[in-house]
Amino acid sequence: IVRPYGSTFLQFADYMRGAVRLSALMGLPVCWVYTHDSVGLGEDGPTHQPVEHLAALRAIPGLTVIRPGDANETAAAWRTVLEDLEGPAVFALSRQDLPVQDAVDPDGVAKGAYVLRDADDPGAVIVGTGSELWVALAAADLLAGEGIDARVVSMPSWELFEAQDDAYRDDVLLPGVPSVSVEAGISMGLGALGGSQREHRALRRQRAGPGGAREARDHAGAHGGGGAGAAGAGVGRKDVRRRQLQLRASWSLQLQTFHSRHTRPRVAAATAVDIPTR
């Protein structure tokens, strides 16, 4: 198998956009391998922080963007590209060291998203991509300490996940359960994971309240190491925990409001009907 590739910092994908877009238009089996994919690189400052680039690449029709969360997901993603993908693909890889996860599911990577860590009765869903996957896991640990069991979903590729059927997507994301997605990039498009789009889908199917929230980065950060860059960007584990708790409180309030609007009127109408007696 021969698969041509080109590689540079993700920040410089802007200079290559014409070539990347043409590769998608022509369906060329090429890999665009980018590193330093987030504010986590830190040291070079805002000029080298690609906060909007993932969204820009995902906007190109026919291009599959893959953002693995560790070395095992990267290996599984390479296999997927070589064996299953016909058109071009983008790899968005980190600069900083990342924890290696033992529970990576290669078949789940090929489907774009899968349950990395589950709970017997999940009270929350945390979706992580790429170098923020460990943040999602750490946030789940914090929530567990407060009695909230969270499912952690790894979503290395939106495009591959969207290609799955509704049953699989719902089985992974659990519509009807408060969901927070975390990614060190702008929030554009994250509604598909845990925001407005999923909220609308959950309301249509469950009639039960909001779908989720987003923990993203809508502007570049300052200088600093990987940890400092991520923490300063507001995508740390405590930020995800805080957002999930806020979402659960909002979820509970909106559920009460929903039931007060849609359940009580029916009961009142039913009791107002005159029942003939003999």
Side-chain angles (χ1 to χ4, degrees):
I1 299 175
V2 177
R3 177 79 60 158
Y5 72 94
S7 181
T8 184
F9 285 19
L10 182 56
Q11 172 67 26
F12 304 129
D14 282 345
Y15 300 113
M16 304 169 58
R17 188 170 182 83
V20 174
R21 186 170 184 271
L22 282 174
S23 72
L25 286 172
M26 294 185 287
L28 300 179
V30 61
C31 287
W32 304 105
V33 182
Y34 298 111
T35 62
H36 298 65
D37 70 339
S38 76
V39 296
L41 63 100
E43 291 87 347
D44 292 323
T47 58
H48 285 62
Q49 293 173 358
V51 295
E52 77 276 21
H53 293 67
L54 285 170
L57 290 168
R58 288 170 176 151
I60 299 177
L63 183 66
T64 300
V65 179
I66 306 176
R67 191 168 183 247
D70 74 342
N72 288 330
E73 283 198 353
T74 302
W78 270 114
R79 189 192 74 174
T80 299
V81 169
L82 293 176
E83 296 181 355
D84 302 332
L85 203 65
E86 296 182 357
V90 162
F91 279 80
L93 307 177
S94 73
R95 180 267 185 198
Q96 67 272 28
D97 294 334
L98 298 175
V100 177
Q101 309 298 332
D102 295 330
V104 168
D105 178 9
D107 292 332
V109 173
K111 293 179 178 179
Y114 65 99
V115 178
L116 180 64
R117 181 194 294 178
D118 209 355
D120 292 335
D121 185 19
V125 176
I126 304 176
V127 182
T129 78
S131 53
E132 287 72 63
L133 182 57
W134 74 269
V135 177
L137 291 165
D141 291 336
L142 290 178
L143 289 171
E146 303 185 34
I148 301 172
D149 293 328
R151 166 181 287 192
V152 177
V153 172
S154 175
M155 187 175 290
S157 176
W158 297 12
E159 294 81 11
L160 293 176
F161 187 60
E162 283 299 312
Q164 309 308 311
D165 57 36
D166 286 347
Y168 180 79
R169 294 201 300 266
D170 287 349
D171 188 53
V172 171
L173 292 181
L174 298 180
V177 176
S179 172
V180 168
S181 55
V182 53
E183 180 174 82
I186 64 172
S187 57
M188 182 185 298
L190 280 182
L193 310 187
S196 59
Q197 294 179 28
R198 188 176 167 211
E199 174 183 338
H200 296 155
R201 186 171 69 190
L203 283 170
R204 287 199 306 270
R205 295 182 183 175
Q206 303 293 328
R207 304 287 296 174
R214 299 162 292 189
E215 204 63 43
R217 179 62 169 170
D218 285 312
H219 55 87
H223 295 269
V235 288
R237 58 176 184 160
K238 293 182 180 178
D239 299 293
V240 179
R241 167 195 164 275
R242 169 187 54 78
R243 194 69 184 95
Q244 179 62 251
L245 292 176
Q246 291 174 345
L247 177 63
R248 289 174 62 83
S250 172
W251 180 283
S252 177
L253 177 61
Q254 291 193 43
L255 274 178
Q256 295 174 21
T257 303
F258 177 85
H259 287 300
S260 68
R261 290 177 178 175
H262 296 274
T263 302
R264 292 177 184 174
R266 294 195 188 103
V267 174
T271 55
V273 174
D274 292 330
I275 302 176
T277 57
R278 295 180 180 177

